Amino acid sequence: MRNAAVPNRRPAIAVAVGLLVALAVITPLSWLINTRDWGILVMFVVPFAVWGLIWLGRRLADWAGVGPPP
């Protein structure tokens, strides 16, 4: 049985993980697009990266128990 005095840290962990992953994905993509001649080709990868981040956000919200109601 869970102690009522212990706060649920899952939402904070989920936000931290989501932000770290987003930073780790978006930063290299934007750097490549901005600094390389062939970087414009990376634009074809961006929709998949955004879809992956949205998918990860939904999975983290389910794990943390803070998702939208069904």
Side-chain angles (χ1 to χ4, degrees):
M1 186 166 158
R2 188 171 189 142
N3 187 355
V6 177
N8 185 6
R9 293 187 178 139
R10 280 189 173 194
I13 293 170
V15 169
V17 168
L19 289 175
L20 287 173
V21 171
L23 183 68
V25 170
I26 297 299
T27 300
L29 284 176
S30 62
W31 179 76
L32 286 172
I33 291 167
N34 191 32
T35 60
R36 304 288 182 207
D37 289 338
W38 49 266
I40 195 67
L41 294 175
V42 178
M43 288 296 292
F44 292 111
V45 176
V46 171
F48 298 106
V50 171
W51 176 82
L53 290 172
I54 291 170
W55 179 86
L56 177 67
R58 289 181 181 164
R59 297 294 86 72
L60 286 171
D62 288 343
W63 175 75
V66 293

